[in-house]
Amino acid sequence: GLLDGCSRPAQGSEMTMCGARRSLCGLMSLTILLHVAQIVLYPPLDAASQRSVRQSQPPATAIEPAILRPLATTAAAVRGGGGGERLMIVTATQPGPCTTRRGDHVLSLALKNKWQFATMHGHGMWLSSELLSPWDLAGQWNKVAVLAALMQPASEARGGASWLLWADDDVLFSDMSFRFPLDQYEAQEAWLVLWGDERMTYELGDSEGVNTGTMLLRVCDWSRALLEAMTRLASSSLRPVLTNHDQGGLVHLLHTAPELWRRHTRLERDYTMNGHWPSYTGAFTLGAATLRSPVWGSSALPVIVHYSGCQMCRGHSFNGTW
């Protein structure tokens, strides 16, 4: 059945990765080109056209072919052409400039970090600056639309990847040698993998029971069904009462319908998939393979550190409350 598991996709051919940028200037040029492409593909909507879009919007669960076409046609330019990587790292950045003084510089370094990790391991890389659903999946919810588009069976942008790793723009890889245990996850039929706490998520329904800033998704029907369920939730009357946006939406599904979603979800605690940055302040030593001092009883480098709450680009939350 649809929610019982994932069929194994055919293995694609190996692809030549786009080489790591040799300087920050080269990376920033790429970022500028992507932003220019965003402006061309998705010109800003004026108030009248926004009203027209809302009045003619399709059902929330539909992913329009028009959305998939720009992803497919720009894939070769962003990814270096070809396909066949088992894992694709997916991230996003806003198309306009940051409002903080050093925001663009900091986020370009964060992008370079992701690109270097992908290059070292032969992973695919997808940088999105598209707002795919302006009426109900804006802000943090936009990752649901991006992942849903890349998850489509006919997606050319995904190439041959059978796993998608979402990483927020304020996420940094700190253990560059780490390899995600995809074989283990497939053997366990774990199609969604992210940091989480069992009690907070399944018993309490606490929106901080997981963190969707970093999450692995298997490309399969189960994952597509999960993303569709999150899309429906984003358009429902529950959305205003959900805290932490898409994160709260995912916890709501796991908490209220565990019979559908818990079996193929793994809340990862064997390694630090989403380390909160205050815990690691002062714990790193340049060039060292271990932490200067243990964090949560471990001296191992966190795989990922998440600078959530820093708002390096805007300097404030989406709604301006902090």
Side-chain angles (χ1 to χ4, degrees):
L2 179 64
L3 301 183
D4 291 335
C6 295
S7 58
R8 184 178 299 276
Q11 295 296 320
S13 59
E14 293 295 326
M15 145 181 185
T16 301
M17 279 296 301
C18 185
R21 301 302 179 196
R22 295 183 179 275
S23 67
L24 179 60
C25 291
L27 181 74
M28 293 181 71
S29 297
L30 174 64
T31 304
I32 293 170
L33 287 173
L34 288 168
H35 290 171
V36 170
Q38 157 67 13
I39 294 171
V40 173
L41 290 171
Y42 297 94
L45 297 173
D46 57 26
S49 60
Q50 287 181 9
R51 288 194 297 270
S52 175
V53 165
R54 292 191 185 99
Q55 291 169 1
S56 61
Q57 63 183 1
T61 56
I63 302 298
E64 297 179 274
I67 288 175
L68 301 180
R69 281 196 295 272
L71 289 180
T73 54
T74 57
V78 178
R79 300 179 59 232
E85 299 91 346
R86 190 179 182 190
L87 174 66
M88 171 180 274
I89 298 174
V90 184
T91 190
T93 182
Q94 65 181 41
C98 291
T99 56
T100 55
R101 188 157 59 99
R102 295 188 176 92
D104 290 308
H105 173 67
V106 172
L107 290 187
S108 69
L109 292 177
L111 173 60
K112 180 179 180 181
N113 167 264
K114 297 178 182 70
W115 219 294
Q116 287 177 330
F117 185 86
T119 301
M120 289 177 64
H121 295 278
H123 299 324
M125 179 78 183
W126 179 260
L127 168 64
S128 171
S129 58
E130 301 93 353
L131 179 59
L132 297 187
S133 180
W135 48 85
D136 55 22
L137 292 179
Q140 290 94 326
W141 287 92
N142 193 52
K143 72 179 67 169
V144 178
V146 174
L147 289 169
L150 289 171
M151 191 73 69
Q152 295 301 303
S155 172
E156 297 176 22
R158 192 183 70 248
S162 55
W163 285 88
L164 300 178
L165 174 65
W166 173 266
D168 279 358
D169 59 357
D170 55 0
V171 157
L172 291 176
F173 289 92
S174 55
D175 184 354
M176 302 298 283
S177 64
F178 182 83
R179 293 183 180 275
F180 289 95
L182 302 182
D183 289 335
Q184 173 188 332
Y185 295 149
E186 290 179 2
Q188 297 172 346
E189 296 188 348
W191 310 140
L192 169 66
V193 182
L194 72 170
W195 176 90
D197 181 272
E198 298 272 340
R199 182 172 180 272
M200 291 176 67
T201 301
Y202 294 112
E203 295 182 25
L204 303 179
D206 189 327
S207 65
E208 295 188 358
V210 302
N211 193 303
T212 57
T214 308
M215 54 182 176
L216 272 166
L217 272 169
R218 182 75 148 85
V219 177
C220 65
D221 288 338
W222 183 91
S223 299
R224 294 183 191 102
L226 175 64
L227 293 170
E228 288 182 3
M230 293 182 70
T231 302
R232 289 193 299 270
L233 193 59
S235 304
S236 74
S237 59
L238 287 175
R239 177 174 176 171
V241 301
L242 294 174
T243 56
N244 289 318
H245 311 284
D246 64 293
Q247 185 170 297
L250 178 59
V251 169
H252 175 80
L253 293 175
L254 294 174
H255 175 64
T256 59
E259 70 282 0
L260 294 178
W261 311 117
R262 185 170 185 173
R263 175 186 169 192
H264 297 298
T265 298
R266 177 184 173 93
L267 302 184
E268 185 59 78
R269 308 286 287 196
D270 290 347
Y271 60 90
T272 306
M273 191 175 183
N274 203 305
H276 194 206
W277 65 270
S279 301
Y280 293 92
T281 302
F284 289 98
T285 300
L286 184 63
T290 58
L291 295 175
R292 178 182 300 165
S293 55
V295 175
W296 301 106
S298 174
S299 296
L301 292 176
V303 177
I304 288 170
V305 176
H306 191 181
Y307 289 83
S308 58
C310 294
Q311 302 300 332
M312 293 175 284
C313 189
R314 295 181 305 277
H316 56 81
S317 62
F318 275 105
N319 59 12
T321 58
W322 50 274

